[in-house]
Amino acid sequence: MYTRRTPCSASGFGGLHRRTRSRAKTAAGLLATAALLVSACSSGSATTSAASAAAEAALVELPQATPAALTSYYGQKPAWRACGVPGFECATLKAPLDYAKPSSGDVRLALTRKKATGPGKRLGSLLVNPGGPGGSAIGYVQAYAGIGYPAEVRARYDMVAVDPRGVARSEPVKCLDGPDMDTYTQTDATPDDGKETDGLVAAYRTFAEGCGADAPRLLRHVSTVEAARDMDIVRAVLGDKKLNYVGASYGTFLGATYAGLFPDRAGRLVLDGAMDPSLPARRLNLEQTAGFETAFRSFAKDCARRADCPLGGKGASPERVGENLKAFFAKLDRRPVPTGDAGGRRLTESLATTGVIAAMYDEGSWEQLREALTSAMKENDGSGLLVLSDGYYERDADGAYSNLMFANAAVNCLDLPASFDTPEEVSRALPEFEKASPVFGKGLAWAALNCAYWPVHATGEPHRIEAKGAAPIVVVGTTRDPATPYRWAKALAGQLSSARLLTYEGDGHTAYGRGSSCIDRTINAYLLRGTPPTDGKRCS
């Protein structure tokens, strides 16, 4: 099942910064390859009307003065301590559970930093977020950004991360245990009849009920707006007048929301792999579905040029490669193949689809995907695709899952009304989704149903973010990005009053630190010297 990693819960595949996640896994073994789906909203004409309303609605700036009820939060002094990762310190802060009622209780936020190494004048803190929603920013900075970002950036900035509320170390939302998650991830996500549809609905209900039972109060207060307000407390506690920030994927929505709420405090913001906050969830899911199809066609063209491509002879068209992959999925639907898993898991259609989608985030994974498909299709060995799927779900070798998928659903289902309310609505929308992606459309449409059963109602709606008065903000889009289609970057840049659009002509999810010296030089110049690129600059 795909969720706004943006498979939908109201979810979609938004996604984590996949390349950096892969590097982090190699460097420290802390992060698995992963990526998520975006919430969809309504169906039929309601989608159009919601999109029209969002074109008029804009996120409202908060007052510049700190409310008296929040001064104690802004005045906190973090007690930094060693936390087992060389060079990093950790601390815990408090934020109000409910900003409308600050006296009703707190939420604890986990924070980490690695101080600027020098030489050169310190530029303050650089907060980073890898996306999701649900990705651990602390895991990301400790395993990758704090040691893998350009040396000149790390020399001038304290590298900082806070896990958003409900995520990882910050009072994590929990829904299911390992065995139950194994069952959930193997549920048939492309039902062929009423019985299979009932099974999928039952799985979504079980997942939602588990989340509701674990954190009934917290689930009402894990929205992106609340997480952005938390970041302003972090900024103040760190002693920075302005927030400097690099956000990838969903992290761009979080960063843009911060700028919209606090434009006067927005410093140097990089939003890489941007999302469009003005779209309702169903539209987001549909456009993301088309994005995965674009990425798959790139993979298919590359695969067909290689002798080891298991999906068609040399020179096969992308359409033929896609048809062969769909036929393989259908075969797995009838008869899953062995994986050698100690718990007896077999490669189902759902797990195989997740594994393929996971590999779309980074063209560096295409060779691994070809090998995994070859083993499954020709040798009846599904272990390679299972590895890709487990990475996506952040399942470790002992069968334990991180809270990534739980937090992903919790945030997405709160930020936007669900894409669909009933299975019948999904069935009516299938032709549209399958047109967007003949390979993945059916599964991604059904994935957008899960927020229909969420235990709390959405508090957010689609809206524009303008951030009038903010300093220049760099919005980065990749032309063949699977999870955050390039159109979204253009749309966000068109909304933000001070945006500079930077385009990477290439494959994969996000652009910074993925091999383009042009992209990296441009962003480094902005972070280090405050020099934004010319709007519309393109790199390859």
Side-chain angles (χ1 to χ4, degrees):
M1 292 164 213
Y2 315 106
T3 68
R4 187 163 49 174
R5 261 166 111 209
T6 309
C8 248
S9 348
S11 306
F13 272 104
L16 296 170
H17 184 353
R18 181 112 163 44
R19 170 60 65 87
T20 55
R21 291 179 59 77
S22 296
R23 289 177 177 174
K25 183 178 179 183
T26 301
L30 294 179
L31 298 179
T33 59
L36 303 173
L37 279 183
V38 187
S39 310
C41 254
S42 47
S43 58
S45 60
T47 301
T48 302
S49 61
S52 300
E56 302 299 325
L59 185 65
V60 178
E61 176 185 353
L62 290 172
Q64 292 189 19
T66 301
L70 299 180
T71 53
S72 63
Y73 295 102
Y74 276 78
Q76 293 175 88
K77 302 296 182 184
W80 294 104
R81 64 188 185 279
C83 48
V85 181
F88 286 89
E89 302 172 301
C90 291
T92 302
L93 301 177
K94 292 181 179 180
L97 176 68
D98 183 352
Y99 277 92
K101 299 177 181 178
S103 62
S104 64
D106 299 331
V107 61
R108 294 181 300 277
L109 303 175
L111 183 70
T112 191
R113 74 174 178 186
K114 185 179 184 183
K115 290 184 177 180
T117 57
K121 181 181 178 182
R122 179 182 174 277
L123 295 174
S125 306
L126 182 63
L127 201 67
V128 297
N129 184 282
S136 172
I138 290 178
Y140 172 74
V141 76
Q142 290 181 346
Y144 171 68
I147 56 177
Y149 262 34
E152 56 268 38
V153 173
R154 292 182 284 114
R156 307 285 298 282
Y157 284 100
D158 292 349
M159 299 297 296
V160 178
V162 56
D163 280 345
R165 51 175 63 201
V167 174
R169 297 164 177 83
S170 294
E171 300 200 19
V173 173
K174 298 179 182 178
C175 302
L176 301 176
D177 61 18
D180 285 341
M181 270 299 287
D182 280 346
T183 299
Y184 180 74
T185 60
Q186 295 175 76
T187 302
D188 189 341
T190 55
D192 300 315
D193 54 37
K195 182 179 180 180
E196 291 183 351
T197 299
D198 290 346
L200 181 59
V201 168
Y204 286 152
R205 288 187 184 277
T206 298
F207 185 92
E209 289 167 2
C211 297
D214 175 72
R217 292 187 68 217
L218 182 61
L219 281 191
R220 293 175 170 81
H221 298 288
V222 292
S223 69
T224 297
V225 166
E226 289 163 313
R229 297 191 69 172
D230 293 344
M231 290 203 302
D232 197 52
I233 292 176
V234 171
R235 173 203 59 78
V237 166
L238 293 172
D240 293 321
K241 291 183 178 180
K242 292 182 179 290
L243 180 80
N244 300 310
Y245 175 84
V246 177
S249 197
Y250 162 80
T252 67
F253 181 33
L254 182 58
T257 299
Y258 180 89
L261 295 174
F262 307 103
D264 60 308
R265 300 173 196 170
R268 299 172 187 178
L269 269 59
V270 177
L271 309 180
D272 184 10
M275 292 182 60
D276 179 358
S278 73
L279 297 179
R282 177 176 168 179
R283 177 75 176 274
L284 283 168
N285 279 326
L286 184 62
E287 293 191 5
Q288 190 177 59
T289 297
F292 277 103
E293 182 66 20
T294 297
F296 177 76
R297 289 179 69 86
S298 258
F299 164 76
K301 290 176 183 177
D302 179 80
C303 188
R305 290 196 293 265
R306 301 176 183 275
D308 64 344
C309 179
L311 294 172
K314 199 166 186 179
S317 68
E319 291 78 13
R320 172 56 62 186
V321 172
E323 289 168 3
N324 290 340
L325 181 59
K326 285 183 64 178
F328 171 60
F329 287 159
K331 183 178 179 180
L332 290 176
D333 192 27
R334 297 188 299 272
R335 180 175 297 180
V337 303
T339 63
D341 177 65
R345 290 182 301 159
R346 298 171 73 85
L347 183 69
T348 62
E349 178 190 15
S350 294
L351 292 173
T353 304
T354 300
V356 172
I357 285 180
M360 294 299 102
Y361 282 78
D362 182 357
E363 67 273 25
S365 299
W366 290 356
E367 179 180 3
Q368 180 184 0
L369 177 58
R370 291 197 309 274
E371 292 172 353
L373 284 167
T374 297
S375 294
M377 297 174 72
K378 299 184 177 181
E379 300 167 14
N380 208 42
D381 176 5
S383 59
L385 284 171
L386 185 63
V387 166
L388 285 167
S389 178
D390 283 350
Y392 173 86
Y393 285 119
E394 291 198 352
R395 180 192 191 273
D396 66 25
D398 295 327
Y401 289 76
S402 78
N403 98 306
L404 171 64
M405 284 297 176
F406 312 142
N408 179 260
V411 175
N412 285 324
C413 293
L414 200 60
D415 275 351
L416 287 174
S419 305
F420 303 108
D421 293 325
T422 66
E424 290 73 23
E425 289 182 1
V426 179
S427 295
R428 289 194 293 270
L430 285 178
E432 189 176 23
F433 275 77
E434 290 184 293
K435 180 179 179 181
S437 175
V439 178
F440 305 118
K442 184 177 181 180
L444 296 186
W446 282 106
L449 180 63
N450 67 338
C451 277
Y453 309 103
W454 203 243
V456 299
H457 294 296
T459 56
E461 293 285 350
H463 56 269
R464 295 170 54 82
I465 299 179
E466 299 173 351
K468 293 180 179 179
I473 297 172
V474 177
V475 177
V476 188
T478 297
T479 55
R480 294 185 294 279
D481 191 313
T484 51
Y486 178 61
R487 195 207 68 75
W488 293 358
K490 293 194 293 184
L492 181 61
Q495 294 169 37
L496 292 169
S497 61
S498 61
R500 306 291 178 89
L501 178 63
L502 175 62
T503 298
Y504 173 54
E505 297 177 350
D507 296 294
H509 185 39
T510 71
Y512 188 42
R514 299 194 70 250
S516 169
S517 58
C518 172
I519 289 288
D520 292 352
R521 283 197 309 269
T522 301
I523 293 177
N524 291 345
Y526 171 66
L527 291 175
L528 295 171
R529 297 187 290 279
T531 306
T534 303
D535 188 36
K537 179 180 175 66
R538 302 182 77 87
C539 295
S540 58

